[in-house]
Every structure is written in structure tokens, then in C-alpha cells.
Amino acid sequence: MSKLWGGRFAQPTDQFVEAFTASIHYDSRLYPQDIRASSVHCRMLVRQGILDAAEGEAILAGLAQVEQELAEGRLPFQIGLEDIHMHVESRLRALIGPVAGKLHTARSRNDQVATDLRLYLREQVDQLREGVHLLQTRLLELAAHHVETVMPGLTHLQNAQPVSFAHHLLAYWEMLERDWQRLGDARRRINQLPLGSAALAGTPFPVDRLWVAQELGFEGICRNSMDAVSDRDFVIELAAVCSLLMGHFSRFSEELVMWSSPLLGFVELPDGFCTGSSIMPQKKNPDVPELVRGKSGRVFGHLFSLLTLMKGLPLTYNRDMQEDKEPIFDCVDTVGGCLRVLADLVPGIVVRHGVMADAAAVGFTTATDLADYLVGKGIPFREAHEISGRLVRLCVERGCPLAQLPLQEMQRVEARIDADLLPLLTVQASVNARRSLGGTAFDTVRQALRDAWMRMGQKTAEHA
Ligand code: ARG
């Protein structure tokens, strides 16, 4: 088969090298962007008098047909044609003849591939943002039912202080909110047009890059032709944003795995998202959160591949850069899949209020409330902490919870303790005492929920 760049070559490409260098098996997904950018490029060439109207029309009609064939899977891929750009151009030539060769005027595959990838990732970012928004909505819906569900808040995986389950869920909502914003920040830098930079140095033809940018919905143009064709920061940045997202999914998944274990029994996951064991009939395994947790590894790996891929590359385009696609495609695919499966799973979570509430009291989780009470009696916090600690030790020795230590025993350790302490040592009282902004008191959490809904509403308004 004759290459589109074959003129300089006397010998054909080595067969294995053809397979080794081909990218069509993964970059074929860029065909809608490739056709779209080519069509706008063609219209610009006509507007600028670089092609005549008839040539432009022939090319546009041909491109539309190539797109149709690709959409219907009727265009067979050939590794000898390397990539999606070559497939489109060679099919165009087969359809409309030599005039197809005029499409590549004032353009190179270097600015072409960067343009296609930016268009593609821009769409992916928009879909991921919608996915994040949906998962946030599902978390708020679940949280709305659990403002007064108390659970043990942990540090070091040790029972620390009781919290509202809704408060815990809202913590994930905040992480996702930052992810949503980060996707938006990344989008601004993705959404710049490289096309018109040609191979690396610009082009002698009177192109109108600003018009092309506007037609393709780019916010601006890449200002330096050499940077335009060699920059993959936007790919790395998106992989980093995806990595943070996966880190958050992984933490949430880990909690689902722990909560659903019979060891804790805080929640029951929906059957449709679990699997059984082929040998142990009683098992119900949390495979979905486990896989989500596991998939964070590949996305982190992709971030590192991309960083390593680009480090030390001299300006400008190098073929190494073809290796950017598989990792970033897998990043967006993986994050998209995780968003979907988590958004579907969350509404099916059944919460065992009683088990959570009982666990919230285990481990002297209201010892801080005891210390805070003593502070109210004028005792410096450090001293109050010491006294409360001694009372906990007493309870450990007796094997009883703080609230069941007889008042006289307490008073023997600290005379300023009165009967008014006892109601403060329940988990409900402890949660409700924490009214500071951002704290876990029921009313505070209710307000946080309202704020979160409002922030969601503002986002949809901005989007519209
Ligand atoms: N398939 C190539 C890539 O993905 C397209 C650009 C090729 N450019 C070149 N000068 N060989 O990077």
C-alpha cells in the first residue's frame, strides 16, 4: 500500500514495524473529532481563498461520507495506515480523488492530533463532571435520611467521637465538589486550539486560527506553535485530576467494604452489587467497591506513565507522544465507570441505625465531652483532659462505659463533677454539642445539607 508520506522512501516499511508503530486500534475513537476539526479546517481554507469553493464542497461531502462509514463500522482498519488521521485522509482520497490531498494544506498531523485529543478530552471532562454531579446528588439524597443516624467517628481507625452519618457522607460530597472544580480548571487549559501551528513553526498560508477556534468552541488558541504541538500538560493534568477522583472513590469504597463486613455490620450493600462465593454459601462479597478501590492503581499508574513519557522530550513533536492516548483514554473510561457504578450503588445502601448507634458509644467516645464539661467548671483543658483520662482508666478496669460509672466514684476523682454531667455523656448529646461551623451537630448538618443543595443548584445554573 502506498504511504501518504511515501515519496522519500525507496524501501517499504518493515512489516513488524508497521504493527509496532500503528495506533489505529486505539486512536480510532478520535474519528468524530478528527472529522469535525478537518471540516472546520477545510471551511477556513475556503474562506481564506486557499481552496476554491468547489474543492471545499467536495472535501466536506467526502468527509461526511467517511464519518458515516466509520460510524457504521464499515471502514476496515489497516495497520499500514498507522492512525485515524491517515485512515480518514486515505478514504477521502478513494472517495473524491486527488483533491482530497488539498485538505492537509497548512496543517500537519502534529497540530491535528493535538486538536483532536483536546476536543475529545473536553467532551470527556463534561461527561465526567455530569457523573460527579450525579454521585454528589445521590450522596445528598442518602445523607438527607441520616442526619440523626449516629456512628463512631474514627481517627487511627480507633473510636474517637460520635458523628452524624450524614456528616460523614457530606465529607465525601466536599471531596467530589473539589474534583468537580478541578475538572473545570483542567477544562479551561484543555480548551485551547493548537491547529494552525502546522508541523511546529506555523504556516505560510493566510490561515485564520481565531475563526477555527471559535467554530470548534475553543476558548482561545495555543499562542506558540512549538508549544502547541509538543504540549501534553493538559493530558497529564487530567490524569492527575482523575487520580484524585480515584483516591476519593477508593477511600469511600474501603469504608463500604468495612461497614458491610459482618465485623461491623453498619450497612448492607444491595445484592445486585455483590457476589457470592462458590464454596461458602453464606458469603456476600462487596466486589464492586473492592474493584473500584483496586482500579485506583491503574489510574495512578497512568499518571506516572504520562509524566515519565513527557519528561526529557526535546521540542517539539516526538513519536513518543503517541503513547499518551492509551493511558488517558483508560483514565477517563475508568473514572466514568466508577462514577456510574457508585451512583447506582449508593441509593441501595441499607443503613443499620441501631448497630451504628451502639458502636458510636463503644470506646468511651464521649470522654472529650467529659473534659469539655470540666472546662465549663473553670478547669484548664489540659487538666480536664487528665481527669477525664483517669476516669476512662477506671472504666477500663471495671469494664463499664463512662455513663455507668457511679457519680460518687467520679466525684472521688474530681469533686467538681455533678449530676448535670450524666446527660452530656450520651452519644446524641455529644454529637449535638458540636455546633461549630462545619461541625456534626444535627442542626449544623441540616444546614450543611441545605448549603450543599444550594451549591449544587448554582452549578447547574452556571452550566445551563
Ligand atoms: N499517531 C500520531 C500520534 O498519535 C499522530 C501524529 C504523528 N505525527 C508524526 N509526525 N509522525 O502522535
Side-chain angles (χ1 to χ4, degrees):
M1 169 198 319
S2 74
K3 302 280 187 215
L4 293 172
W5 40 256
R8 188 224 176 281
F9 289 77
Q11 303 292 330
T13 313
D14 177 274
Q15 275 210 333
F16 183 70
V17 168
E18 278 197 337
F20 185 78
T21 53
S23 55
I24 185 62
H25 51 291
Y26 52 83
D27 66 19
S28 60
R29 71 160 84 183
L30 295 176
Y31 84 81
Q33 290 75 23
D34 197 68
I35 302 263
R36 186 167 164 216
S38 291
S39 303
V40 171
H41 179 68
C42 172
R43 286 165 49 218
M44 183 276 292
L45 293 176
V46 173
R47 273 173 61 97
Q48 299 299 103
I50 302 166
L51 295 191
D52 68 37
E55 291 167 334
E57 270 160 39
I59 291 172
L60 288 176
L63 284 173
Q65 183 166 344
V66 177
E67 179 165 33
Q68 180 90 16
E69 290 177 11
L70 279 160
E72 290 166 7
R74 284 195 282 120
L75 204 154
F77 297 141
Q78 306 163 40
I79 50 169
L81 282 174
E82 285 185 44
D83 57 25
I84 188 60
H85 324 295
M86 296 296 210
H87 275 79
V88 171
E89 191 180 326
S90 107
R91 182 62 189 147
L92 187 65
R93 195 170 55 176
L95 289 172
I96 66 170
V99 66
K102 296 206 172 192
L103 174 59
H104 214 52
T105 312
R107 166 177 102 163
S108 131
R109 267 190 298 159
N110 299 346
D111 57 346
Q112 189 180 355
V113 70
T115 302
D116 293 359
L117 190 56
R118 284 171 182 269
L119 284 172
Y120 176 78
L121 293 180
R122 181 178 78 190
E123 274 172 37
Q124 292 300 305
V125 164
D126 289 341
Q127 283 175 25
L128 292 181
R129 289 187 108 195
E130 275 173 34
V132 170
H133 189 88
L134 179 65
L135 181 55
Q136 283 185 297
T137 304
R138 297 278 157 87
L139 285 176
L140 289 189
E141 284 163 359
L142 183 64
H145 294 108
H146 294 290
V147 172
E148 303 204 6
T149 303
V150 289
M151 70 183 297
L154 311 177
T155 63
H156 313 268
L157 202 68
Q158 309 284 319
N159 297 20
Q161 292 173 342
V163 292
S164 151
F165 182 48
H167 195 51
H168 194 124
L169 292 171
L170 283 169
Y172 283 101
W173 187 90
E174 295 288 347
M175 293 176 224
L176 291 173
E177 181 62 13
R178 291 193 294 277
D179 291 325
W180 192 87
Q181 289 168 9
R182 266 188 287 267
L183 283 168
D185 291 340
R187 190 190 196 278
R188 273 190 285 283
R189 278 177 291 277
I190 289 171
N191 203 20
Q192 306 288 327
L193 175 80
L195 205 62
S197 303
L200 75 159
T203 170
F205 296 98
V207 294
D208 186 348
R209 297 188 64 204
L210 293 174
W211 185 83
V212 172
Q214 203 183 357
E215 285 296 298
L216 289 172
F218 283 105
E219 283 161 55
I221 59 167
C222 303
R223 302 285 187 126
N224 177 296
S225 63
M226 297 181 76
D227 181 45
V229 296
S230 67
D231 169 31
R232 292 294 182 272
D233 290 2
F234 64 100
V235 180
I236 298 176
E237 185 176 1
L238 182 56
V241 174
C242 287
S243 294
L244 280 167
L245 264 159
M246 290 305 298
H248 296 153
F249 296 161
S250 185
R251 296 183 79 174
F252 184 54
S253 297
E254 168 64 9
E255 303 218 83
L256 292 177
V257 169
M258 288 196 306
W259 294 342
S260 65
S261 163
L263 289 172
L264 286 182
F266 288 0
V267 303
E268 170 122 18
L269 300 181
D271 279 4
F273 293 76
C274 296
T275 61
S277 156
S278 53
I279 171 169
M280 297 164 285
Q282 86 285 11
K283 289 299 291 286
K284 177 172 167 184
N285 295 326
D287 297 44
V288 165
E290 287 175 302
L291 271 170
V292 169
R293 188 177 58 187
K295 282 177 190 292
S296 59
R298 60 199 284 166
V299 174
F300 296 176
H302 295 324
L303 171 60
F304 226 84
S305 310
L306 289 164
L307 283 166
T308 312
L309 172 67
M310 293 306 295
K311 109 172 228 316
L313 286 189
L315 297 185
T316 53
Y317 179 84
N318 299 269
R319 190 63 178 269
D320 314 45
M321 286 154 72
Q322 178 169 296
E323 290 283 311
D324 62 354
K325 287 171 206 65
E326 283 170 294
I328 197 63
F329 290 168
D330 191 61
C331 281
V332 294
D333 290 350
T334 303
V335 171
C338 291
L339 278 168
R340 180 182 166 170
V341 82
L342 287 175
D344 287 347
L345 178 150
V346 165
I349 295 175
V350 174
V351 178
R352 306 266 177 249
H353 301 73
V355 181
M356 272 192 182
D358 290 347
V362 172
F364 316 105
T365 49
T366 56
T368 317
D369 298 86
L370 171 44
D372 292 343
Y373 167 85
L374 296 172
V375 168
K377 302 271 171 181
I379 301 176
F381 183 78
R382 275 290 149 243
E383 208 180 306
H385 182 287
E386 168 74 20
I387 297 164
S388 178
R390 265 187 273 141
L391 289 167
V392 166
R393 183 140 46 92
L394 215 60
C395 291
V396 172
E397 282 160 12
R398 293 179 162 229
C400 75
L402 262 180
Q404 274 167 36
L405 203 61
L407 191 56
Q408 296 91 320
E409 292 276 335
M410 292 197 187
Q411 287 167 334
R412 215 175 303 147
V413 175
E414 174 49 56
R416 281 165 284 189
I417 292 178
D418 271 320
D420 60 348
L421 165 67
L422 298 177
L424 302 183
L425 296 182
T426 65
V427 291
Q428 267 74 16
S430 171
V431 172
N432 266 322
R434 286 172 173 70
R435 298 179 171 283
S436 51
L437 253 183
T440 191
F442 296 153
D443 284 343
T444 312
V445 172
R446 262 188 281 273
Q447 185 56 49
L449 253 172
R450 279 194 292 271
D451 290 348
W453 278 120
M454 216 179 62
R455 286 155 75 190
M456 299 274 289
Q458 280 166 357
K459 285 194 303 191
T460 23
E462 276 166 32
H463 234 33

